[in-house]
Each structure stands twice: as structure tokens, then as C-alpha cells.
Amino acid sequence: MSDHDKLYSTKFQDKIERSAVLMFVLVAIAVAVGGIVEIVPLFYLPNTGMAGGDGTFNNTQHKDLQGNSIPMDKIVWNPATSAHKTLPSLVNPQPTDWQAGDGVRPYTALELTGRYVYIREGCFLCHSQMIRPFRDEKDRYGHYSIAEESMYDHTFQWGSKRTGPDLARVGGKYSDEWHRKHLKYPRDVVPESVMPNFFWLDKMPVNVGKTVQTLKVMTMMPFNPVPKSIYTEAYIAAAPAELKGKSDMDAVIAYLQGMGNQVKFEEGVDYRD
């Protein structure tokens, strides 16, 4: 005997659950209110581009373990004041190239290609890239993520799904060879993994034309564009040589190895641990 007509909740809840239109309207209202609550403050905080600032978070304050404020030039890389004034290059390595800890920088051509492949293959659906400021998060993944670390991400990859671990600070944690084995056949290095095999990325050449166009677009973004003093015409022109002979696998590994090693708040402290 069916009991489908028997109510196990309030009449109001039952009415909502039985009406697709009413459910849609109420969900839309709830999402709209939640979105407004999150977005409106951005128009009033002085350190956001929306409030008329320069979008580089210059008024943001972070503190080290002793509670001392950290100057912004230790967080966002400025080649004009840094000892290392150029992006890393596979073609023309120089002693002044950016080094880990110099501050948040734009992606290199190879890393930018890897980010595109990462998004294309849906990696963000299982791996978030934002460590929340909670003790259990920091114990497992390292120092909590800060806004500046995503300033050149269009769009950001924060996410909320963790079928796999958060990758915000995976850079330098494993070798390139480990990543290559893991991406090809994940269960060869992590037996309990449910991640798909991506062995075919090793045979896919990078899309040079798309990367060159993306480098140009990154300098024109409305919020936090990459300064043309970093993505210079010469750097963009050299991108094809940088990407020559590289595979999608190489690009993804470069992207992963760049995560979480850009900021060093305090000498002697590794914020990935």
C-alpha cells in the first residue's frame, strides 16, 4: 500500500518539494542573497579593484608568526625592486630570474599552458586550490591561502570539491618524475587513488598559438592584468621557442610545480609545511 500522500514534514516544506517552479524560485532567491552578501563588500573595501583601487591589494595586511606586519613587496613580486628581475626562462636562463620566495608572479608561458590543460581536463573538479584558515587545513596542507596568490588567476581555481587533496601548495613537494608517473598511471604511486590515467598527455604537443594569444589577453584583463613590463613584447615573442618540443604533460607538471612556493613571509619558515 503506497504512502506517497502521507506528509512527513511541514505542509510548507511539502508544498515546496512538490512544486518544481516554487523550488526553483526559492533557490534562486537564496543564491541571489548569498551572492549579494559576498560581492557587495568588495565595492567598499579599499584594497580591491572594484572599489577603485589598483587591484594589487596594496592595503592588505598579513602578519608573520610573531605578529609583525609583512610589507607587500615580500608578497607580490615587483621586478623593479626585486633582486631577480625576469621571469624564469628555459630558453635564455639568466642569474636574475625570479626565484621561489620572491613573491607572487605571473605564470611563465609553459605554466600558463599547463593551467589551460589542467582546466581543460577538469582537474579542478576534484582538486581545490585554496587552503582555508583552519587548524586541520593548515596541519594537512600548509599555510592558508591568501588573496594575492590568485591575483593572476583568470578564473581562480579555489573550488570546494576534494575528491583528491588540495593542490595550493603542491609545488616542490614531489619531483617532476613523481608527477609524471602519477599523471600517467596514478595507482603506480598512490594505490588507493581514484584519479583517471592521463598517459596520453605525454604525446600531446602544446598549443603554442593559443598560449601566445592568452599571454596577450592576460595583459588586458580588467582586474589584475599582468603588467606589460613583465609580459613584454619580447617575452611573448620568445614564447614559441620556450614551448618548442614540449608536451601537455610537461606543461601540467610545470604548472603544478609553481603552486605555493612564491610567497615567503618570513626567512627560515616554509609555509608549505
Side-chain angles (χ1 to χ4, degrees):
M1 183 174 179
S2 175
D3 63 350
H4 290 171
D5 292 330
K6 187 174 181 179
L7 299 182
Y8 290 94
S9 59
T10 64
K11 290 184 177 180
F12 179 65
Q13 179 182 343
D14 187 72
K15 184 177 181 180
I16 295 174
E17 293 179 350
R18 290 171 183 266
S19 172
V21 173
L22 183 58
M23 173 69 83
F24 173 81
V25 170
L26 293 178
V27 168
I29 292 173
V31 171
V33 171
I36 290 172
V37 169
E38 291 181 337
I39 293 172
V40 167
L42 298 177
F43 289 90
Y44 295 94
L45 295 174
N47 60 329
T48 65
M50 291 183 181
D54 60 7
T56 56
F57 308 95
N58 285 330
N59 294 324
T60 305
Q61 292 295 316
H62 298 294
K63 296 184 178 180
D64 61 21
L65 297 179
Q66 285 69 46
N68 302 312
S69 293
I70 304 158
M72 280 301 299
D73 61 3
K74 284 191 174 183
I75 297 175
V76 178
W77 178 58
N78 183 353
T81 57
S82 175
H84 309 112
K85 302 185 181 302
T86 59
L87 284 174
S89 172
L90 300 174
V91 181
N92 298 308
Q94 302 175 28
T96 56
D97 281 347
W98 177 95
Q99 296 179 8
D102 283 347
V104 177
R105 60 163 173 78
Y107 295 108
T108 65
L110 188 60
E111 290 169 347
L112 196 64
T113 304
R115 185 173 187 272
Y116 163 72
V117 176
Y118 181 95
I119 295 172
R120 184 192 72 196
E121 299 304 326
C123 302
F124 63 94
L125 296 174
C126 291
H127 295 281
S128 61
Q129 285 174 221
M130 185 180 74
I131 304 169
R132 280 71 169 176
F134 303 115
R135 181 176 179 179
D136 61 331
E137 294 261 315
K138 292 188 289 183
D139 285 348
R140 182 177 184 186
Y141 298 117
H143 191 276
Y144 62 83
S145 299
I146 61 175
E148 290 80 3
E149 292 178 287
S150 299
M151 65 185 294
Y152 295 123
D153 283 354
H154 304 288
T155 59
F156 59 79
Q157 297 298 306
W158 294 345
S160 59
K161 181 69 172 175
R162 283 183 179 160
T163 301
D166 187 277
L167 299 180
R169 307 212 177 277
V170 74
K173 188 174 183 180
Y174 306 102
S175 67
D176 287 359
E177 186 58 29
W178 186 95
H179 280 296
R180 193 174 299 276
K181 289 181 178 179
H182 182 245
L183 286 165
K184 282 184 174 181
Y185 303 103
R187 279 151 294 284
D188 283 356
V189 291
V190 183
E192 67 275 16
S193 176
V194 296
M195 178 174 154
N197 298 329
F198 290 98
F199 57 87
W200 47 271
L201 289 178
D202 227 359
K203 300 179 181 179
M204 294 284 290
V206 298
N207 189 327
V208 176
K210 185 178 182 68
T211 300
V212 170
Q213 187 60 33
T214 303
L215 288 168
K216 295 176 181 178
V217 170
M218 289 288 285
T219 66
M220 299 182 285
M221 298 302 293
F223 299 107
N224 299 320
V226 177
K228 292 185 178 180
S229 58
I230 298 178
Y231 278 2
T232 62
E233 291 184 6
Y235 181 81
I236 295 175
E242 185 91 11
L243 300 173
K244 184 179 180 180
K246 297 298 180 181
S247 67
D248 282 353
M249 179 74 75
D250 297 323
V252 173
I253 292 173
Y255 174 61
L256 293 172
Q257 293 290 40
M259 289 187 195
N261 60 7
Q262 298 187 1
V263 180
K264 184 178 285 295
F265 294 147
E266 185 180 13
E267 292 301 323
V269 176
D270 187 345
Y271 279 81
R272 288 172 291 176
D273 296 335

